[in-house]
Amino acid sequence: MTETRSLEERPVRVLHVSDTHLYGDDSLHYGIVDTHAALVRTLERAETIEGVDVVVLSGDLSDDMTVRSYERLRDLVGPWAARHDAEVVYAMGNHDSAAEFEQVLGPRTRVVDVRGVRVITLDSAVPHAGYGHVGDEQLRMLRDALATASGPSLVVVHHPPTPAYGPLLAALELQNAREVLDVCAAGGATAVLSGHYHHSLVAHERGIPVIVAPGVANTSDACPPAGHERSTIGSGFAIVDVPAKGEPTTTFFTAPSEQDGTEIFNLDADEVAQIARVAGVTA
C-alpha cells in the first residue's frame, strides 16, 4: 500500500500508460499483436515500482469499441491499482467509443485530486476521425478546474498539443492545440499527459511539459524512411513524478517481449495519404 505523505515530503507518482487498443475477444492488433498480453506484460513490469499514487491511461483504450474490451481493461488495471492503493484515470482516444467507454469506465471528462495534485481529463476524440479537437465547453471546464486548483495540475488529453514526427500522425494531430495550450498556460498547468503517437516524447509548449507515453499496442518509428509511417512490436510506459513545486520528472520504461522490433507495418507515402484522406482533417 502506498505510504500517505504530504506532497512536500514526496512527489505524486503517476504510472502513465497509453494506447492499449484492447479487443473484447482474442483478436490480434493488425493480425499480429496480442494487446491483452501486452498490457498484462506492461503492468507486470510496473509491479515493483513503489509509490504509485495514480494510474493514468491516456486514450485509445479499445480497438473494437466493445463493452467487453473496456471490461477487460478495467479488470486488469483495477486490481493493479487496488494493490498499489492508487487512483485510476481513464481518457478517451480516437479509437474509443463514448457510450461504451462511459458504460464501463465512467465519465469522459473528470477532475480528481490526488494528494494535492489535480488531474483534469479531457476528451479530444472526434467521432469517425483520427485527429483531435477539444470543444469550447471542455475548455471552460479546464479553465475553471485550473483556476480552483490548490497545487500542481496535470491535464490528460489523448492527442498531444505538440507536433507529430511522422506524416500520418501529422494529419491526425490535435487541431486546436493553441487554444488548449492558451488555457493551460493561463491557468498554470504543470504538465500535459498524452498518448496517440505511440512513442515516448517530452516536449515543451508555452513552457509546459507535454509528456507522451509510449504505446502498449505497438511502437511508432519516430525516424522512418521519408514519407513513410512505420510501426514495430514493443510496449512501454512512463513514470511521472510531480513535486509540490517545479517541473515533473519523467522516466520511460519498456516492457520487453521476444518479438520486440518485429515490423508490424511500413506504409509508403501513397498509403499514408490514403489513410489521411479518410481519417485526417481533410475527410
Side-chain angles (χ1 to χ4, degrees):
M1 181 174 291
T2 302
E3 182 183 359
T4 302
R5 297 168 64 185
S6 71
L7 183 57
E8 286 73 19
E9 294 176 297
R10 179 177 70 81
V12 161
R13 174 159 284 183
V14 181
L15 170 60
H16 183 194
V17 177
S18 198
D19 297 273
T20 54
H21 287 269
L22 291 191
Y23 294 85
D25 55 22
D26 294 329
S27 296
L28 301 179
H29 196 48
Y30 291 102
I32 298 172
V33 180
D34 183 339
T35 54
H36 186 272
L39 179 56
V40 169
R41 186 171 62 253
T42 298
L43 294 174
E44 287 177 347
R45 178 73 173 88
E47 187 67 49
T48 58
I49 295 177
E50 298 181 349
V52 173
D53 297 289
V54 56
V55 183
V56 169
L57 295 99
S58 56
D60 277 5
L61 308 182
S62 174
D63 201 80
D64 62 7
M65 302 184 184
T66 61
V67 166
R68 181 58 184 147
S69 67
Y70 295 112
E71 290 173 341
R72 296 180 86 194
L73 177 73
R74 178 200 61 197
D75 293 347
L76 286 176
V77 176
W80 192 99
R83 286 195 301 274
H84 293 260
D85 196 24
E87 185 77 43
V88 184
V89 172
Y90 298 103
M92 280 274 293
N94 53 285
H95 280 272
D96 291 306
S97 177
E100 290 79 3
F101 178 105
E102 291 192 321
Q103 179 177 332
V104 179
L105 304 179
R108 290 174 287 138
T109 60
R110 184 183 177 201
V111 178
V112 60
D113 293 312
V114 181
R115 287 188 49 241
V117 173
R118 175 154 289 184
V119 184
I120 306 161
T121 309
L122 304 177
D123 174 9
S124 59
V126 176
H128 313 297
Y131 60 88
H133 185 272
V134 177
D136 291 342
E137 183 176 345
Q138 288 192 70
L139 291 175
R140 287 191 291 271
M141 182 272 283
L142 174 60
R143 187 177 295 110
D144 291 344
L146 290 171
T148 57
S150 59
S153 296
L154 300 176
V155 179
V156 182
V157 59
H158 178 66
H159 295 80
T162 194
Y165 281 87
L168 178 57
L169 288 170
L172 307 178
E173 291 176 345
L174 182 64
Q175 295 306 295
N176 61 333
R178 179 177 295 181
E179 291 179 274
V180 173
L181 289 169
D182 283 347
V183 176
C184 288
T190 303
V192 177
L193 306 186
S194 298
H196 192 50
Y197 291 169
H198 286 244
H199 64 79
S200 55
L201 172 68
V202 177
H204 284 76
E205 300 287 353
R206 304 285 298 275
I208 302 168
V210 178
I211 302 166
V212 180
V216 170
N218 57 60
T219 298
S220 293
D221 187 347
C223 52
H228 285 232
E229 196 80 31
R230 180 174 179 271
S231 180
T232 62
I233 292 178
S235 303
F237 60 93
I239 290 292
V240 183
D241 289 314
V242 185
K245 296 181 180 179
E247 187 170 311
T249 299
T250 304
T251 308
F252 295 107
F253 295 82
T254 60
S257 77
E258 294 181 355
Q259 291 77 39
D260 280 4
T262 302
E263 187 172 89
I264 298 172
F265 61 78
N266 189 346
L267 305 175
D268 63 23
D270 289 341
E271 292 169 314
V272 167
Q274 181 178 358
I275 297 172
R277 281 193 296 269
V278 174
V281 293
T282 59

